Amino acid sequence: MKKIIVVIGIFCFVSVLYSAYEDPIGSTRGRSMGNAIFADFDAINSMNYNPACVSYARNIETYFGWDTPYLGLNDESMINNINFNFVVPFWNKFTIPPDPFVTKNATLGISVKRMSVSGTDIDGVYKEFYHEGIYSFIYGKNLNDLLKGARIAAGVRFNLFDIGVGNVVDVENNPVFNGKLNTLSFGLDVGVTYYFSDDIVLGFAYKNLIAPNISILPDGTDILPSEVSLGANINLGDVVGFFKRSKLGVGVVIFGRDPTDNRQSDMSYRIGYEFRQLTASQLFKGSQFKDEILAIRLGFNYEAKKV
């Protein structure tokens, strides 16, 4: 029997409890567009979807997010979510001789995402019970200086996966675990973008080209599945009325799941739309800031699952 599951999301802001490995994106903009970001024009919101997108950066970009979905329970437990992203481009004048190809028109990105659960252990000591972290180094380069007129950018993302259980009493007393229960593993993602026109950018990304083993059990195996995404982001401009500076995202994601595992879909079809309406100078008279500070977005995500 095949059950069709359709999920439609319209988000202004979302804060949910999640596994860091199952949801490694964590971008408010991406979520509210149904994660339909495949080859967007910015860097800081797009690099976690396609590492080639960092090559679009022209200035230093960063954002930091922290939230705690719950706290103040009787056992004093709480969850901490940290999401930090930083992008810095190489300027031509800083190109390192004698190899101008590595840094010219290239950009570096750093991404840190960590989820942890803390509370009071049975021995009365406040500890971190569990954590999952992804620490990423991203390199992207515009290839126009190598392939004249190609309008292609490529990127690579090196991921360090950190997962573990804290030094709780049960772990410390279990001889199988040798007093600890954690693991570090390595993963690799790649991506390419192509400017089909000035307003249409195509994107391709392969997540977990080198797939990490995130099992924390001794001699355990838990390989993250691959994801192949193919889509486009389209700049529609001013459509009508107050739909100013509109942008559309559309594409598909193919999951390389275990065929015996019905918890994940084979494919995901995504479409997202955003428009920006108000500027700071419109909201606050005399403001020196001119860029938009209010954006409205909606997203649609269709997945079919066999149950």
Side-chain angles (χ1 to χ4, degrees), residues 221-234:
T221 301
D222 186 3
I223 306 297
L224 286 183
S226 63
E227 292 184 16
V228 177
S229 63
L230 180 65
N233 286 98
I234 306 169

Side-chain angles (χ1 to χ4, degrees), residues 21 161 163 183 185 212-217 221-224:
Y21 294 157
F161 293 81
I163 182 171
T183 188
S185 56
N213 178 10
I214 62 171
S215 175
I216 60 175
L217 298 176
T221 301
D222 186 3
I223 306 297
L224 286 183

Side-chain angles (χ1 to χ4, degrees), residues 6-268:
V6 179
V7 181
I8 301 176
I10 300 177
F11 308 95
C12 291
F13 180 80
V14 180
S15 177
V16 295
L17 175 60
Y18 51 83
S19 163
Y21 294 157
E22 294 177 355
D23 185 10
I25 306 302
S27 166
T28 303
R29 183 188 183 195
R31 290 177 184 277
S32 51
M33 287 188 66
N35 287 327
I37 295 183
F38 300 92
D40 208 352
F41 306 111
D42 72 349
I44 198 70
N45 284 292
S46 305
M47 67 179 186
N48 290 319
Y49 295 88
N50 187 336
C53 292
V54 296
S55 62
Y56 301 142
R58 296 296 176 266
N59 300 291
I60 295 176
E61 301 176 14
T62 186
Y63 77 76
F64 174 80
W66 172 82
D67 70 273
T68 173
Y70 74 84
L71 76 165
L73 301 181
N74 291 337
D75 62 356
E76 300 181 352
S77 63
M78 65 181 298
I79 287 182
N80 284 293
N81 291 319
I82 297 175
N83 193 350
F84 171 75
N85 292 269
F86 180 75
V87 172
V88 55
F90 284 106
W91 290 273
N92 289 343
K93 64 181 180 180
F94 292 144
T95 298
I96 303 174
D99 183 9
F101 301 107
V102 176
T103 58
K104 186 177 181 180
N105 296 326
T107 305
L108 298 179
I110 296 174
S111 177
V112 175
K113 183 176 182 182
R114 193 177 193 273
M115 182 272 289
S116 62
V117 181
S118 303
T120 303
D121 200 3
I122 58 177
D123 58 0
V125 179
Y126 192 83
K127 301 176 181 178
E128 181 180 270
F129 294 147
Y130 178 78
H131 72 267
E132 293 182 1
I134 307 176
Y135 314 104
S136 304
F137 176 82
I138 303 165
Y139 171 82
K141 178 174 173 59
N142 189 323
L143 300 178
N144 287 344
D145 58 325
L146 300 178
L147 305 171
K148 300 299 182 183
R151 310 185 77 182
I152 295 175
V156 60
R157 175 184 173 119
F158 305 92
N159 302 307
L160 180 64
F161 293 81
D162 171 28
I163 182 171
V165 177
N167 291 325
V168 297
V169 173
D170 290 338
V171 173
E172 292 176 343
N173 294 335
N174 193 325
V176 176
F177 302 144
N178 294 320
K180 63 179 181 179
L181 192 59
N182 56 50
T183 188
L184 293 174
S185 56
F186 172 78
L188 179 70
D189 308 337
V190 295
V192 178
T193 61
Y194 169 63
Y195 263 86
F196 181 79
S197 69
D198 290 340
D199 294 320
I200 301 177
V201 187
L202 307 179
F204 169 83
Y206 195 117
K207 178 182 174 184
N208 295 329
L209 178 63
I210 297 178
N213 178 10
I214 62 171
S215 175
I216 60 175
L217 298 176
D219 302 321
T221 301
D222 186 3
I223 306 297
L224 286 183
S226 63
E227 292 184 16
V228 177
S229 63
L230 180 65
N233 286 98
I234 306 169
N235 184 11
L236 301 177
D238 298 340
V239 179
V240 62
F242 58 84
F243 291 91
K244 306 292 186 181
R245 300 185 66 182
S246 299
K247 186 171 290 186
L248 176 70
V250 59
V252 61
V253 178
I254 303 171
F255 302 105
R257 70 172 179 86
D258 183 341
T260 62
D261 186 355
N262 291 329
R263 294 173 298 176
Q264 190 176 25
S265 306
D266 294 313
M267 300 181 71
S268 172

